Amino acid sequence: MQLPIYFDYASTTPADPRVVKKMQECLSLDGNFGNPASRSHSFGWKAEEATEQARSDVASLVNCDPREIVWTSGATESDNLAIKGSARFNKAKGNHIITSKVEHKAVLDSCRQLEREGFEISYLDPNSNGIITPEMVLNSITDQTILVSLMHINNEIGVINDIESIGKITRERGVIFHVDAAQSTGKLPIDLSKLEVDLMSFSAHKTYGPKGIGAMYARRKPRVRLEAQIHGGGHERGMRSGTLATHQIVGMGEAFRIAKEDMVQDNIRIKSLRDKFWDGLKDMEEVYLNGDPEHRAAGFLNVSFNYVEGESLIMALKDIAVSSGSACTSASLEPSYVLRAIGLKDELAHSSIRFAIGRFTTDEEIEYTIGLVRNAVGKLRALSPLWDMYKDGVDLDTIEWSTS
Amino acid sequence: MAYSKKVIDKFENTLAEPEKHSVGRWDPSESDIGTGMVGAPACGDVMRLQIKCEPRNNSHVISDVKFKTYGCGSAIASSSELVDMLKGKTLEEAKEIKNQDIVDALELPAIKIHCSVLAEDSIHQAIKDYESKI
């Protein structure tokens, strides 16, 4: 077993060795380095063939037409294009957009920009399990609503929104439905021939592909119209200009092809590892699982260790790589907005750790980490005045804290 | 977060050998103990500093210190560093300790200055508590 152990697969994943091999074939003179837009020679044709194969592989994972896939630089750009592009194109129809408080910043910040341009945004509160229900969406739609943007799987706690039911509502009301699926490719089956989703964002690097490449799905029937956000050359049917990055695209295609092939076995294995992990922690005192225990993607385990601050726990767990909802690990010094939105008290948000398990996690790593976590939490609690008070039966909510 | 080696060492040593680094607590009602507790759980850090004092000459000397801290790595390192500074000092000398002394000793990054301020507050509270008993 090699240290440190990687438990941050929701942040990014290593590229699969099969992906790396394909990418390497598209860079040098003896490889497939041409510009896919070059029509006048075989270098261009060959490169185009590779990017179109990748487009088919991506489309195949989510069961859509390859012509509905637009290459972007990643899910952030896809979110920007989908939200700003569709809102600006459709502004004559209405100015109201619905999203939620637990979206990725790429969605929230795009919405903030639209607010500055005069759009009105409803930020839905999730239920205490972190989920946005179809009813919440239904109750928020007005005759001014043009767009609903929600994530498929939440990136902090891994809970799953029912995009099938939400899509029925938006379709019936003639509202565009965008889904950020950055976390869900390879984790959940996605069938766009059945889902009534109009726009979807994908990322390669959360699914064992390279960073710097993503895609956006734009439905053809019924057709969703967008205003391009990047101009110059008219690539991707005018929706996203810029020379196609053959090696990146081929990497994403291969990653998504593998995801389709391996998804079922991968997820059975990953879920059993996650359950084993939680089984090894849940008998500890004052330990809480964050997010819906059932409607949750396989790799996510977000846990709060009460009376222990998350950043100090990460430091004590120096042999494993995780992330925390603690303020001290964020640039803003605010605890996780996702955990706060699901109603977690600030101190439990400060105490949270996200363990994200993936394709290369082993049984041995889980066993080792359970021991490590139990030991570190024990040591930090021995150092925690709050733990003393809890053990003495003091209710921390009754104390007047001196905040400087 | 790029911590200095000093913060990391202080944190790891304190965690590895808590007793040697004065982790613990005394009964705050004892007459020779001064207790200061600062911070708040919702803010992510709480420090409890206790000083044991004895009269000497015309002053009072801090003969021993105990602490417990809930907080990030630098909050724990700052408390532990403070404890080292306090032992053997008179109350007058202890009052002179400034948060900048902790910042300098640990090479705290700017975003963690708050931890050193909390540590300084904890001394003042502990001394005030002890002085109210004499």
Side-chain angles (χ1 to χ4, degrees), chain A residues 275-288:
Chain A
D275 291 345
K276 178 178 182 161
F277 203 159
W278 179 233
D279 283 342
L281 299 176
K282 68 182 180 190
D283 64 309
M284 294 171 75
E285 255 182 291
E286 287 294 303
V287 166
Y288 301 93

Side-chain angles (χ1 to χ4, degrees), chain B residues 43-62:
Chain B
C43 304
D45 35 29
V46 176
M47 287 180 189
R48 186 182 62 207
L49 179 76
Q50 293 187 299
I51 51 175
K52 182 179 243 174
C53 303
E54 55 193 40
R56 192 182 298 168
N57 301 328
N58 286 329
S59 180
H60 294 261
V61 172
I62 299 171

Side-chain angles (χ1 to χ4, degrees), chain A residues 259-274:
Chain A
K260 186 176 182 183
E261 211 171 83
D262 292 358
M263 179 157 58
V264 175
Q265 310 95 283
D266 256 7
N267 281 314
I268 291 172
R269 203 183 64 85
I270 290 169
K271 185 175 181 301
S272 87
L273 289 175
R274 184 203 59 198

